[in-house]
Amino acid sequence: MTDPGYDVVVVGAGSAGCALAGRLAERGDRSVCLVEAGPASRLPDVTSAASLAATAPGHPLNWEYAARLVRGRMVSVPRGRVVGGSSAINGSYFVRAVPRDFADWAVPGWSYDDVLPYYRRSESDLDAGGEVHGRAGPLRVRRPAGHLLAPVTPVFLAACSALGYPAEPDKNAGGPPGAGPVPSNAAEGVRISTATAYLPPPWGAAPEVRTLTVRPEVRALRVLLAGDRAQGVETTAGTIRAGEVVLAAGAVGSPHLLLHSGIGPAPVLEQAGVPLRAELPVGQGWSDHPSVYLPFRWPGPPPHPDAVAGQAALNLDSGSDPAGDLEVLLFARPFGEGGDLHLMCALQRPESHGDLTITSADPLAPPLLDYRYLRTEADRRRLRAAVRIAADLLRVAGLDRAAPEGWVLGNDVRLDGWIRNVLTTSVHLCGSAALGRVVSPDLRVHGFANLRVADTSVLPAVPRRGPAATAVMVGERAADLLAGPVRTST
Ligand SMILES: Cc1cc2nc3c(=O)[nH]c(=O)nc-3n(C[C@H](O)[C@H](O)[C@H](O)COP(=O)(O)OP(=O)(O)OC[C@H]3O[C@@H](n4cnc5c(N)ncnc54)[C@H](O)[C@@H]3O)c2cc1C
């Protein structure tokens, strides 16, 4: 295919990339090419809000990265590899970062008040109104109710209340943490990915636009650079030239592309054999939520087949973070037929940081992810606290915990050992090409006039809540940063 050249090429049709490309293209004044390594898919694994099938290792719609969580514990980490990205395969938990996250990051132009209009612009909240919610955005947001409320959910929320945790009926209101239903980007059992919400047919359900070209199954290999300017991207389907390049390949894909373009730490690039273009801490110092699943038996009826799994959450302060540094998330559906239900216990504001590196100059070789989880006693202490609180909730609810046994739960050393053996990640990696460290507040990579990153890589740290809603906000905000603000009617 001859490359016609575009005003903007966006790499990665994920949570942020679809929002950015869709919003830019709807203005009609510039040509936009959206490049995605994965295919378009309407499999039930993608469209059914209840399905987490595409998160399984080996599923063709996810990238499977080998990752080390702690010394001796390797896991496979999924990420969406499909038009819609991780928003097309994830748990549909759609909760905003809290005001304190933005205050901690202290990036000019990225305060909670600055970004609130973009959260609002992204959504149509079908339950909640008022100043903080959007009513006319492309992503429909709902909380479990009626037949989509799993029978176990009120039991969980009653246990939270019995233990004295405050209710948090609207987790997107920016208030203090507590127990409440989880807003999700799912309506009547259908997962609303960002492809569905922001892209026109045949990719999604947004209005037709002429200025957008979507190229699925085209993988970017590196950014084409000349001095301090990006000229386009090299891909598996040839060179795509553009006046502006935006990487929205996610918090693994974008730093991977930057490293293969020669932008990163000098020792990493030298060791991989990639010529250095600019020394920046790409892939360094990111964070993610370490988590473990506490299994329990549910003797009651199963949820409706359309109900989302992640129905309700308790967000709470471990003792040093009033904005809530722990989360206990109810999974109201077993991972396999007839299996246990789970409480996911997660540390939402970890001190430990990870590294993403490359060891070869081959851009098709996967990066290495070293999470370095639970390096500090404060992190270990808080994750133990989350597990014990979850166990208490089960006790109060009269539900049988399947693991760990009491003699493990009651002893710090044994509980640390149990946690280490079952440790997993929430797959919320953020901060691998962070605002301040790698990109400026307008998302430009330091030293490059027309190369930007717009996805969860840029968040300075993983927010205290899951990042899916924040990824979409970044895409919305990036569109205004590239093209200037538009008047909205949310
Ligand atoms: C299994 C799973 C479950 C999750 N559940 C939740 C949840 O319920 N709630 C929540 O808040 N968060 C959840 N998350 C995290 C959240 O979904 C992600 O953090 C967020 O969607 C990331 O958005 P993004 O735009 O940064 O990247 P993505 O949405 O991952 O998009 C990146 C896109 O770039 C493409 N890409 C990558 N490299 C290239 C390349 N070289 N060339 C072309 N295309 C490329 C990818 O295929 C992908 O489509 C989950 C994540 C996963 C993987």
Side-chain angles (χ1 to χ4, degrees):
M1 181 174 169
T2 329
D3 168 33
Y6 299 90
D7 293 317
V8 183
V9 62
V10 177
V11 177
S15 303
C18 287
L20 165 61
R23 286 300 192 200
L24 271 185
E26 75 183 14
R27 295 170 184 234
D29 59 353
R30 70 201 70 207
S31 55
V32 179
C33 180
L34 178 59
V35 177
E36 167 56 44
S41 173
R42 294 213 180 268
L43 281 177
D45 304 10
V46 165
T47 55
S48 164
S51 175
L52 293 175
T55 67
H59 194 286
L61 299 184
N62 88 54
W63 304 80
E64 209 184 324
Y65 294 109
R68 186 167 78 155
L69 299 184
V70 290
R71 203 175 306 142
R73 178 139 176 87
M74 296 293 296
V75 296
S76 159
V77 171
R79 309 237 0 146
R81 184 182 186 150
V82 56
V83 178
S86 296
S87 79
I89 71 163
N90 73 13
S92 310
Y93 160 124
F94 199 76
V95 180
R96 300 170 180 177
V98 299
R100 186 71 227 171
D101 287 315
F102 298 95
D104 288 350
W105 300 339
V107 179
W110 291 82
S111 71
Y112 180 70
D113 287 344
D114 290 326
V115 302
L116 185 56
Y118 298 98
Y119 279 121
R120 294 181 61 227
R121 193 166 88 180
S122 72
E123 70 174 16
S124 280
D125 193 311
L126 304 180
D127 306 317
E131 281 295 287
V132 294
H133 291 294
R135 307 294 288 177
L139 273 161
R140 278 178 292 162
V141 175
R142 278 233 102 127
R143 291 148 193 79
H147 68 288
L148 297 182
L149 183 72
V152 68
T153 303
V155 176
F156 169 79
L157 290 173
C160 294
S161 169
L163 284 179
Y165 294 107
E168 190 189 13
D170 181 2
K171 287 188 174 287
N172 279 338
V182 168
S184 68
N185 51 309
E188 298 310 316
V190 178
R191 180 186 276 114
I192 318 287
S193 75
T194 51
T196 310
Y198 285 96
L199 301 185
W203 324 104
E208 201 66 64
V209 282
R210 289 184 174 184
T211 44
L212 179 65
T213 304
V214 182
R215 304 222 19 212
E217 299 185 70
V218 173
R219 179 166 171 178
L221 302 174
R222 57 177 70 83
V223 182
L224 200 59
L225 295 168
D228 66 352
R229 293 198 66 80
Q231 298 186 313
V233 283
E234 279 179 47
T235 77
T236 47
T239 299
I240 299 176
R241 295 196 175 267
E244 181 131 25
V245 173
V246 187
L247 302 183
V252 175
S254 290
H256 190 227
L257 282 166
L258 288 171
L259 292 172
H260 281 289
S261 310
I263 302 172
V268 173
L269 297 181
E270 191 183 335
Q271 204 251 331
V274 176
L276 178 73
R277 293 276 195 163
E279 178 148 24
L280 287 171
V282 172
Q284 314 263 292
W286 46 263
S287 49
D288 195 337
H289 300 143
S291 45
V292 293
Y293 289 101
L294 201 69
F296 68 97
R297 299 182 184 98
W298 170 246
H304 187 279
D306 287 345
V308 293
Q311 291 245 323
L314 169 64
N315 292 92
L316 72 150
D317 175 4
S318 71
S320 54
D321 186 0
D325 56 346
L326 300 181
E327 183 170 272
V328 179
L329 173 63
L330 168 67
F331 274 74
R333 181 184 293 291
F335 298 147
E337 187 78 26
D340 292 328
L341 304 190
H342 294 88
L343 294 182
M344 187 188 200
C345 312
L347 175 54
Q348 300 293 102
R349 191 163 166 259
E351 291 180 349
S352 307
H353 293 105
D355 284 346
L356 177 153
T357 50
I358 53 171
T359 53
S360 112
D362 176 4
L364 297 177
L368 295 178
L369 297 176
D370 190 356
Y371 275 75
R372 300 156 171 264
Y373 270 163
L374 305 180
R375 301 274 276 212
T376 69
E377 176 51 23
D379 280 5
R380 292 190 291 275
R381 174 179 49 75
R382 292 183 295 157
L383 194 51
R384 285 196 299 268
V387 172
R388 286 176 176 145
I389 289 162
D392 256 359
L393 291 171
L394 294 178
R395 182 181 51 75
V396 168
L399 295 169
D400 281 345
R401 188 178 75 241
E405 293 176 68
W407 64 280
V408 173
L409 191 66
N411 177 287
D412 283 0
V413 175
R414 292 192 198 112
L415 185 54
D416 278 350
W418 182 81
I419 287 174
R420 206 188 134 82
N421 286 336
V422 298
L423 186 65
T424 187
T425 172
S426 303
V427 207
H428 292 167
L429 206 162
C430 292
S432 45
L435 278 158
R437 302 196 293 272
V438 173
V439 301
S440 56
D442 63 4
L443 303 179
R444 285 191 173 91
V445 176
H446 295 316
F448 294 90
N450 62 342
L451 172 62
R452 303 193 205 216
V453 182
D455 56 28
T456 47
S457 315
V458 306
L459 303 177
V462 67
R464 288 173 177 82
R465 307 293 183 264
T470 301
V472 183
M473 177 278 284
V474 171
E476 286 271 7
R477 177 136 178 72
D480 276 11
L481 288 169
L482 262 87
V486 281
R487 291 183 67 80
T488 57
S489 56
T490 48

